[in-house]
């Protein structure tokens, strides 16, 4: 019974982890950089939900939608600000790491100033509280409600990416931005939009992170970034569907670890990265690179 | 107060400075043997109190009010001209040096080292809790400086070999669950589940409790340690539920207790008794974060914040402190700010009894105060290892009320302000 519970619970929780990681993957796809401030954007999403609930009594379900346009715009503007400088840099990867590390520190400091250092949490009663009963076992409301909100969000994102003309342009830019430009695609604009979408997905994850992590605090970003990074490495860098699948598998592993080896359960992200690097460096859903 | 804005740089500098200063002798550790009145060095212009605090991170909610309490004590004493030092028969002003450790034990270790080797503080005080106190314990011992340990109650800190530690505000971890164990026995609970964080503070309590209960024939059907960073308890609760316990006890820090209680609520599970550690210390915060429904009828340690001590031998009494502190530090009044202030009172009593400012004399001053010092935190009693054995914590239960949640001590009878409701009502 506990095994089944861990697997189903892991899937529900894994859907959240998929969203947590997919934003990082999107930013990587848009600019080929690892956004070290990813966890901090998630943290800001959490504070957004907290503020909206406490000031305006807005449900976190609605907050998930509200944070999207704000963070898309923020991400887009940030991309337009930094992308030209990164392109001109002699070592853009290193510059981007430093830049996003700095951004992470700035966001963390600002969040401490604005929201204080104390952890903020939302009451469970701010979302539907009935537990989900499946096969005779009850699952916490926070798990199934978050899954219910996140699944359509991820579905819309996948449809956007694979079934719309702008999605096609995005994939063209991800594949080869120079060739995309030759084909008439405004790769700067497309990258900017996609970058903004990555931020928006992170912020949406932040709204539900308040429930899954038990609260939000200014310093949580780094640990979240590590978890998200482990998931995208496991699922293959740049592979959206791989990241979603990896998030769900991560959730299952984490829950199984809590049942069978609880003392070691927090090592799951690190174990995943090491195992992936040793066994399948290209990630679970990656293809071997063809040379020449 | 000084703050470190760039912890990484601070840490790097700290390491470098520690290396440079490894051969130097701290002034505060000078005279590690007692000082007689005839060779008493000249009184310093000020007494430096060195500590670290968590300006952010998982311990900030507990550490910041504790620091505020210590600051309040310094402010109060400085308003009188300083703290009275018995050896000099006069008051000497206090100066606080506080560094931000960001809730990181590694950063705290570097900053503690800096306080001892560079700042050469006279009075060395650790940050909140066992996790952040642990690095200070070995450093204090190595530098032969007395550590005024505020709330680091882990058993490993107190050994016959360590003469340089004084636990000021809470009983040692192994003592905390004594009253709780007696309560469980009195309720004839036969089967229980214990979930604890794998840190000194929580593991000490869990170990002691299990031992006492086992001796009394109570079955601990579920006994599991989890990482201190755990925030997801859904599956763990399901596992606990499978053991059909009469009581579920979770020993964690505030950052664990909050999601644990939220997970209990959102899972829809009902247990006859749920116990967590921190709601009694940070009640208003828990009320905000978990809500009345999530806290109703759960149990916690009652702290001396909820006990009125009208007569004290040192400092302000309970009501005076609450009024004056709330005016000086709005919004930070809770049991941990009381602890921070009480740390100051223990230092004050130690210095009053000390023949000089040598660390040996300060430690002897603390020992002399043991059993005679009555503060707003109860009777201060330490054993030969510096562990606090007074100030016992009653078991308290949280009751829904018109104002939200009310904490009432329910055990032992001598401290009870209400009667326990067991099993907790459904819904």
């Amino acid at each position: 019974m506990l095994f089944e519970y861990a697997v189903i619970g892991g899937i529900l929780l894994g859907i959240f982890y998929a969203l947590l990681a997919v934003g990082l993957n999107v930013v990587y796809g848009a600019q080929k950089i690892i956004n070290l401030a990813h966890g901090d954007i998630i943290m800001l999403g959490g504070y957004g939900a907290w503020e909206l609930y406490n000031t305006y009594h807005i449900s976190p379900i609605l907050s998930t939608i509200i944070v999207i346009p704000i963070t898309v715009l923020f991400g887009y503007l940030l991309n337009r600000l930094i992308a030209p400088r990164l392109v001109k840099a002699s070592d853009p990867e290193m510059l981007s790491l430093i830049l996003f590390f700095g951004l992470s520190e700035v966001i963390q400091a600002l969040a401490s100033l604005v929201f204080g250092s104390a952890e903020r949490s939302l009451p469970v009663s701010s979302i539907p509280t009935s537990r989900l009963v499946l096969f005779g076992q009850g699952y916490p409301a926070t798990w199934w409600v978050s899954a219910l909100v996140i699944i359509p969000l991820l579905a819309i994102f996948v449809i956007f990416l694979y079934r719309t003309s702008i999605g096609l342009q995005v994939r063209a830019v991800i594949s080869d931005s120079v060739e995309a430009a030759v084909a008439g695609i405004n790769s700067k604009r497309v990258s900017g939009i996609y970058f903004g979408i990555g931020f928006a997905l992170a912020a949406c994850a932040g709204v539900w992170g308040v429930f899954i992590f038990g609260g939000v605090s200014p310093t949580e970003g780094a640990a979240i970034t590590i978890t998200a990074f482990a998931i995208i490495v496991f699922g293959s860098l740049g592979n959206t569907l791989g990241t979603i699948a990896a998030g769900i598998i991560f959730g299952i592993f984490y829950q199984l670890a809590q049942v069978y080896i609880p003392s070691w359960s927090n090592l799951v992200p690190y174990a995943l990265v090491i195992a992936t690097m040793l066994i399948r460096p290209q990630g679970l859903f990656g293809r071997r690179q063809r040379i020449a | 107060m000084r703050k470190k804005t760039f912890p990484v740089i601070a840490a790097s500098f700290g390491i470098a400075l520690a290396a440079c200063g490894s051969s130097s002798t701290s002034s505060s550790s000078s005279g590690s043997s007692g000082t007689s009145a005839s060779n008493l060095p000249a009184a310093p212009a000020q007494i430096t109190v060195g500590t670290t605090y968590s300006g952010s991170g998982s311990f900030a909610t507990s550490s910041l009010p504790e620091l505020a309490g210590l600051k309040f004590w310094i402010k109060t004493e400085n308003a009188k001209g300083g703290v009275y030092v018995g050896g000099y028969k006069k008051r000497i002003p206090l100066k606080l040096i506080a560094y931000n450790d960001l809730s990181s034990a590694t950063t705290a270790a570097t900053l503690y080292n800096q306080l001892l080797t560079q700042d050469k503080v006279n009075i060395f005080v650790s940050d909140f809790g066992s996790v952040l106190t642990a690095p200070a314990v070995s450093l204090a011992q190595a530098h032969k400086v007395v550590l005024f340990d505020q709330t680091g109650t882990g058993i490993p800190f107190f050994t016959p070999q360590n003469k340089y530690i004084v636990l000021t505000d809470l009983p040692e971890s192994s003592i905390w669950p004594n009253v709780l164990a007696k309560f469980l026995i009195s309720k004839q609970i036969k089967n229980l589940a214990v979930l604890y964080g794998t840190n000194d503070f929580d593991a000490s309590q869990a170990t002691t409790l299990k031992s006492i209960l086992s001796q009394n024939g109570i079955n601990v059907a579920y006994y599991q340690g989890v990482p201190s960073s755990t925030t997801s308890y859904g599956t763990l609760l399901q596992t606990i539920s499978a053991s059909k316990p009469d009581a579920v006890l979770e020993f964690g820090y505030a950052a664990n207790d909050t999601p644990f209680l939220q997970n209990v609520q959102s899972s829809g599970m009902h247990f006859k008794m749920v116990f967590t550690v921190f709601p009694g210390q940070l009640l208003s915060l828990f009320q905000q974060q978990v809500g009345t429904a999530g806290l109703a009828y759960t149990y916690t340690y009652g702290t001396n914040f909820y006990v009125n001590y009208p007569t004290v031998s040192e400092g302000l009494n309970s009501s005076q402190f609450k009024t004056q502190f709330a005016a000086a530090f709005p919004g930070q009044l809770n049991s941990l700010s009381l602890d921070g202030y009480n740390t100051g009172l223990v230092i004050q009593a130690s210095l009053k009894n000390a023949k000089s400012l040598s660390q040996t004399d300060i430690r002897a001053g603390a020992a002399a105060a043991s059993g005679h010092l009555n503060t707003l935190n109860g009777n201060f009693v330490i054993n030969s290892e510096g562990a606090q054995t007074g100030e016992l914590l009653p078991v308290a239960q949280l009751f829904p009320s018109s104002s939200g949640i009310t904490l009432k001590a329910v055990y032992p009878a001598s401290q009870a302000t209400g009667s326990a409701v067991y099993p907790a009502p459904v819904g």
Side-chain angles (χ1 to χ4, degrees):
Chain A
M1 287 291 274
L2 281 172
F3 178 83
E4 289 91 331
Y5 185 90
V7 171
I8 296 171
I11 292 169
L12 293 173
L13 208 54
I15 291 165
F16 164 76
Y17 281 110
L19 181 65
L20 183 97
V22 83
L24 183 63
N25 201 38
V26 164
V27 170
Y28 177 80
Q31 213 68 53
K32 295 289 180 287
I33 53 175
I34 296 296
N35 175 13
L36 291 182
H38 178 72
D40 301 284
I41 305 298
I42 289 175
M43 175 261 287
L44 286 181
Y47 276 117
W50 185 86
E51 194 66 46
L52 288 168
Y53 180 79
N54 281 285
T55 310
Y56 305 106
H57 306 291
I58 293 173
S59 159
I61 297 170
L62 194 57
S63 298
T64 312
I65 300 162
I66 293 172
V67 299
I68 292 174
I70 302 165
T71 38
V72 166
L73 184 66
F74 174 56
Y76 179 80
L77 294 175
L78 184 71
N79 179 270
R80 297 307 296 261
L81 183 72
I82 63 167
R85 287 156 182 82
L86 285 177
V87 170
K88 287 176 192 166
S90 57
D91 189 351
E93 283 83 10
M94 181 52 73
L95 179 66
S96 68
L97 284 177
I98 295 167
L99 199 142
F100 280 100
F101 176 73
L103 181 67
S104 165
E105 292 292 309
V106 169
I107 292 173
Q108 190 177 312
L110 287 176
S112 294
L113 278 174
V114 176
F115 301 107
S117 53
E119 189 176 70
R120 306 289 175 95
S121 189
L122 288 169
V124 176
S125 57
S126 61
I127 56 171
T129 53
S130 319
R131 64 181 184 156
L132 173 72
V133 178
L134 278 177
F135 307 113
Q137 298 190 92
Y139 296 88
T142 47
W143 290 6
W144 72 262
V145 175
S146 64
L148 209 63
V149 174
I150 291 168
I151 288 170
L153 199 67
L154 288 174
I156 290 167
F157 171 67
V158 171
I159 290 167
F160 159 82
L161 194 58
Y162 293 100
R163 291 283 180 271
T164 65
S165 63
I166 188 149
L168 184 67
Q169 291 178 39
V170 164
R171 284 185 289 130
V173 171
I174 291 171
S175 177
D176 192 322
S177 59
V178 177
E179 278 191 24
V182 170
I185 295 170
N186 184 342
S187 60
K188 286 179 186 170
R189 183 172 152 270
V190 169
S191 281
I193 292 170
Y194 198 50
F195 195 90
I197 289 170
F199 272 41
L201 290 167
C204 292
V207 172
W208 294 97
V210 181
F211 295 101
I212 304 296
F213 302 138
V216 54
S217 68
T219 50
E220 69 180 23
I224 293 173
T225 303
I226 290 171
T227 303
F229 184 68
I231 293 168
I232 66 167
V233 167
F234 181 50
S236 302
L237 273 172
N239 185 330
T240 301
L241 293 175
T243 298
I244 293 171
I248 293 168
I249 294 169
F250 172 84
I252 295 168
F253 276 15
Y254 184 63
Q255 293 308 299
L256 286 172
Q258 281 211 331
V259 171
Y260 298 108
I261 45 165
S263 303
W264 301 94
S265 54
N266 281 21
L267 289 181
V268 168
Y270 308 101
L272 264 185
V273 171
I274 293 168
T276 308
M277 288 295 111
L278 290 176
I279 301 165
R280 198 175 159 81
Q282 70 272 34
L284 204 58
F285 299 92
R287 291 179 188 153
R288 286 180 189 280
Q289 288 209 334
R290 194 173 54 194
I291 300 168
Chain B
M1 188 184 71
R2 284 187 270 174
K3 293 181 182 179
K4 287 292 168 191
T5 316
F6 301 104
V8 176
I9 296 170
S12 310
F13 271 78
I15 291 163
L17 291 171
C20 296
S22 59
S23 60
S24 68
T25 307
S26 166
S27 65
S28 54
S29 65
S30 64
S32 56
S33 58
T35 310
S36 66
S38 57
N39 60 4
L40 191 68
Q46 61 185 12
I47 292 173
T48 49
V49 179
T51 190
T52 72
Y53 68 96
S54 303
S56 57
S58 55
F59 297 115
T61 50
S62 303
S63 174
L64 287 171
E66 205 171 71
L67 177 72
L70 188 65
K71 280 178 171 176
F72 177 72
W73 169 71
I74 290 173
K75 189 180 166 192
T76 308
E77 287 307 296
N78 279 346
K80 298 176 197 165
V83 65
Y84 184 80
V85 183
Y88 294 104
K89 294 187 170 50
K90 70 171 196 174
R91 288 185 175 274
I92 301 175
L94 292 158
K95 182 192 173 190
L96 178 67
I97 301 174
Y99 295 126
N100 184 356
D101 59 36
L102 307 164
S103 296
S104 157
T106 314
T107 308
T110 307
L111 296 173
Y112 285 139
N113 202 31
Q114 185 168 332
L115 286 167
L116 293 171
T117 60
Q118 302 304 308
D119 301 311
K120 300 181 191 304
V121 294
N122 302 106
I123 303 294
F124 183 42
V125 181
S126 54
D127 194 357
F128 163 82
S130 295
V131 171
L132 297 172
T133 297
V137 176
S138 52
L139 282 168
Q141 197 175 1
H143 288 275
K144 295 185 167 45
V145 174
V146 178
L147 173 66
F148 285 92
D149 168 3
Q150 303 195 78
T151 44
T153 59
I155 295 172
F157 303 162
F158 308 98
T159 61
Q161 292 77 37
N162 186 4
K163 296 169 184 169
Y164 294 95
I165 187 167
V166 174
L167 179 54
T168 59
D169 303 323
L170 292 166
E172 183 206 34
S173 292
S174 64
I175 297 172
W176 285 47
N178 286 354
V179 179
L180 175 62
K182 286 178 186 167
F183 172 74
L184 295 167
I185 294 162
S186 76
K187 287 291 167 195
Q188 298 182 319
I189 287 167
K190 294 294 175 200
N191 185 33
L192 81 157
V194 176
L195 184 68
Y196 64 94
T198 47
N199 57 71
D200 288 335
F201 170 64
D202 295 315
S204 299
Q205 292 179 68
T207 307
T208 305
L209 185 79
K210 189 184 180 194
S211 168
I212 298 171
L213 294 178
S214 300
Q215 285 165 18
N216 285 275
I218 296 175
N219 178 37
V220 182
Y222 181 91
Y223 183 77
Q224 186 62 59
V226 291
S228 303
S229 54
T230 300
T231 56
S232 175
Y233 291 93
T235 300
L236 291 165
L237 280 167
Q238 187 69 18
T239 318
I240 288 169
S241 179
S243 69
K244 301 192 187 315
D246 296 321
V248 179
L249 286 73
E250 188 265 337
F251 296 108
Y253 281 107
N256 308 114
D257 293 353
T258 303
F260 177 80
L261 289 166
Q262 286 177 334
N263 280 199
V264 170
Q265 192 188 359
S266 70
S267 69
M269 292 176 191
H270 177 76
F271 299 106
K272 292 175 185 171
M273 174 182 174
V274 172
F275 176 93
T276 52
V277 175
F278 272 86
Q281 297 184 49
L282 299 164
L283 188 57
S284 58
L285 181 74
F286 271 79
Q287 201 167 337
Q288 272 174 18
Q289 298 193 336
V290 182
T292 303
L295 287 172
Y297 300 105
T298 65
Y299 293 76
T300 185
Y301 290 122
T303 63
N304 285 309
F305 185 74
Y306 302 99
V307 179
N308 186 32
Y309 289 98
T311 309
V312 293
S313 63
E314 204 76 63
L316 303 172
N317 68 22
S318 303
S319 57
Q320 287 169 338
F321 170 77
K322 286 174 184 173
T323 309
Q324 293 183 28
F325 181 84
F329 293 88
Q332 295 203 56
L333 179 66
N334 58 34
S335 80
L336 287 154
S337 55
L338 185 146
D339 286 344
Y341 176 66
N342 190 62
T343 298
L345 297 180
V346 172
I347 295 168
Q348 185 175 316
S350 304
L351 291 173
K352 189 192 273 183
N353 295 329
K355 292 174 185 166
S356 74
L357 283 176
S358 81
Q359 295 297 312
T360 308
D361 285 343
I362 292 171
R363 178 64 179 83
S370 174
H372 309 292
L373 176 63
N374 289 294
T375 71
L376 73 178
N377 207 23
N379 186 219
F380 170 77
V381 183
I382 52 170
N383 63 18
S384 60
E385 296 168 2
Q388 173 77 249
T389 57
E391 302 173 1
L392 294 180
L393 302 171
V395 175
Q397 192 170 15
L398 302 171
F399 295 93
S401 66
S402 54
S403 60
I405 280 286
T406 303
L407 181 147
K408 289 181 181 172
V410 294
Y411 193 87
S414 58
Q415 288 179 276
T417 54
S419 300
V421 176
Y422 178 87
V426 180

